[in-house]
Amino acid sequence: MLQAATAQLHVQVEATPPMAALMSPAVDHDTCIEVLQRLLRIHAGWEEANAARLRALPWPWRPRAPGLRDDLVALGARPGPRFVPAPVAACDAEAWGMLYVIEGSALGGRLIARHLRAYLPEVAAAVRHFETSEDGPGWPAFRQALERALPDAGSRDRAATAAQAMFEHFHGQLAPSLAVAGDAGTVHA
């Protein structure tokens, strides 16, 4: 149900200029920094706003913002303090819906990591964020936990709405082109 409810939004996020640049054979160091900075803005505010609820779920949630900061430092960039407003889960079903997007993004991270190893190996060696799918119980275990956590249509509907809001949060930070976003206050090294 969540996959169907978010499919179009997922495609839109993957098609944003920064993500297209990241997956291009011409990917460069600055593009990686830009994407990591945007991801940090996405995760940091969301994690801060939802950490208590996420830690209470029966799932080993791992914050991504600390690792993104470490990756930016490893690439010689300043992480930047800028947070953006983020969706806040009003109930556990909404938290599960948002977590669906976060945990699912780890699968895409594996593809990005493989791409960076092929086209920008020195950056791939320094960046750990895209390798996070290798840690933890994995996607099949998450899907099983999600099914147990959303036993009825009402909880699944709340989760789907929250997952859509999370994809919109990603899209809002990734949609502007790299040049426009850089002019709008993105912190560069």
Side-chain angles (χ1 to χ4, degrees):
M1 173 184 177
L2 294 180
Q3 184 176 4
T6 60
Q8 182 67 28
L9 292 166
H10 189 181
V11 169
Q12 290 173 355
V13 167
E14 288 181 348
T16 60
M19 295 308 291
L22 185 66
M23 292 304 290
S24 165
V27 63
D28 61 23
H29 184 266
D30 289 342
T31 297
C32 290
I33 288 173
E34 181 71 26
V35 170
L36 290 170
Q37 287 172 331
R38 289 173 187 235
L39 291 173
L40 177 57
R41 285 195 305 271
I42 290 166
H43 286 278
W46 178 76
E47 290 172 0
E48 185 176 291
N50 293 284
R53 186 172 296 278
L54 292 166
R55 284 188 189 102
L57 295 178
W59 179 253
W61 169 69
R62 298 172 322 271
R64 304 286 168 45
L68 285 160
R69 285 185 191 97
D70 291 346
D71 286 351
L72 285 163
V73 169
L75 293 177
R78 293 181 303 139
R82 188 170 166 216
F83 286 5
V84 295
V88 177
C91 64
D92 286 356
E94 290 180 6
W96 280 103
M98 293 175 191
L99 202 51
Y100 169 83
V101 178
I102 299 300
E103 293 294 331
S105 71
L107 295 176
R110 293 166 87 181
L111 297 174
I112 294 168
R114 190 169 32 248
H115 178 78
L116 291 177
R117 284 192 298 270
Y119 292 100
L120 208 55
E122 67 280 3
V123 169
V127 173
R128 299 295 314 145
H129 174 74
F130 300 117
E131 303 283 356
T132 60
S133 62
E134 305 292 324
D135 304 334
W139 184 247
F142 176 77
R143 293 294 302 247
Q144 291 173 352
L146 182 69
E147 287 179 29
R148 286 189 302 273
L150 305 174
D152 56 65
S155 63
R156 288 188 295 274
D157 288 344
R158 286 188 295 282
T161 298
Q164 291 166 341
M166 197 64 188
F167 269 115
E168 289 168 2
H169 178 55
F170 270 77
H171 190 266
Q173 291 307 303
L174 293 169
S177 69
L178 294 174
V180 170
D183 294 340
T186 300
V187 178
H188 292 280

